[in-house]
Amino acid sequence: MAILRIDASIQGPNSASSALADLVEKELAGAPIVRRHLATDPIPADAWANAIQGTYAPAEHRTDAHRSALALAGELAAELRSADAAILALPFYNYGVSQHVKAWFDLAMAGGEQGEKFLDGKPAVVLTTRGGAYGPGTPRDGWDHNTDYLRRVVGDIWGAELILIEREFTLVGVNPALDAFTETAELMHKTAAEAASAAGRVLASR
């Protein structure tokens, strides 16, 4: 089984989403993994625009920037197509999908056919983490513009068998204003960690 793992946290070794992805990976017993870290090796900000422009430009009129962007788009699309499963550690930033993750989604889709189901019928574990709490009844209920987008693209557009794992309150213990939620945060962490390990066993069984 070939696994595609995408990380996107800007937190380095302190990343909550990457820590959950590590738990998934731990269950895979050394399966080959193609890795891409969108925070440490970001997609160029102009790559998507250049890929789209290059797609519609006659080959003889394409610039070096067009050709480079099209090649990268094809590479990203090929990584998705060739994966038997995916582990996507994509944290929530500023109420939505971070710009470096959106750039990856956009460019990968530019490298495929319109609406191509890159992960059709394949398991994909999406791990998303949030510093605060955004569920029903919280002051910021409805402010999460990240999770539904991930469901739509990975599950509905790319056709994956989606396993979505969420963890909130990752800033408890970091931001003193959240100290009152320590017990809740610990339970959320435990639940997410258990779900990540279980997801890894699902991937290992394929």
Side-chain angles (χ1 to χ4, degrees):
M1 173 183 282
I3 309 291
L4 175 64
R5 174 168 169 172
I6 304 293
D7 288 87
S9 174
I10 62 173
Q11 297 297 328
N14 298 317
S15 167
S17 59
S18 291
L20 290 175
D22 289 344
L23 293 174
V24 178
E25 186 176 330
K26 185 178 179 181
E27 302 291 333
L28 299 179
I33 297 179
V34 173
R35 303 177 190 276
R36 189 175 286 275
H37 202 302
L38 303 176
T40 59
D41 187 19
I43 304 299
D46 61 352
W48 177 66
N50 279 317
I52 297 301
Q53 291 165 10
T55 297
Y56 292 103
E60 66 273 17
H61 293 157
R62 289 175 183 166
T63 66
D64 287 344
H66 290 155
R67 286 187 285 271
S68 176
L70 285 166
L72 181 54
E75 181 182 338
L76 299 183
E79 286 177 352
L80 285 159
R81 285 191 202 104
S82 61
D84 296 307
I87 302 170
L88 309 177
L90 309 176
F92 164 107
Y93 287 130
N94 293 323
Y95 314 112
V97 180
S98 69
Q99 57 88 16
H100 51 292
V101 170
K102 186 64 165 56
W104 174 70
F105 277 122
D106 287 342
L107 194 59
M109 287 190 275
E113 300 298 324
Q114 179 70 29
E116 182 174 353
K117 292 185 176 295
F118 290 124
L119 297 170
D120 197 18
K122 301 173 184 178
V125 184
V126 173
L127 308 123
T128 192
T129 51
R130 299 181 284 273
Y134 296 82
T138 65
R140 288 187 172 170
D141 178 12
W143 287 47
D144 175 4
H145 300 288
N146 168 67
T147 310
D148 282 345
Y149 177 84
L150 298 178
R151 285 193 184 97
R152 294 293 83 78
V153 175
V154 179
D156 296 342
I157 297 174
W158 289 357
E161 233 176 71
L162 179 63
I163 302 171
L164 178 66
I165 298 171
E166 304 173 63
R167 180 187 164 198
E168 292 198 316
F169 271 148
T170 62
L171 286 178
V172 172
V174 178
N175 182 350
L178 299 176
D179 284 352
F181 302 102
T182 298
E183 186 175 340
T184 299
E186 288 174 350
L187 178 59
M188 288 179 168
H189 187 181
K190 180 175 182 291
T191 300
E194 290 172 349
S197 293
R201 292 191 290 273
V202 170
L203 267 62
S205 70
R206 297 303 181 95

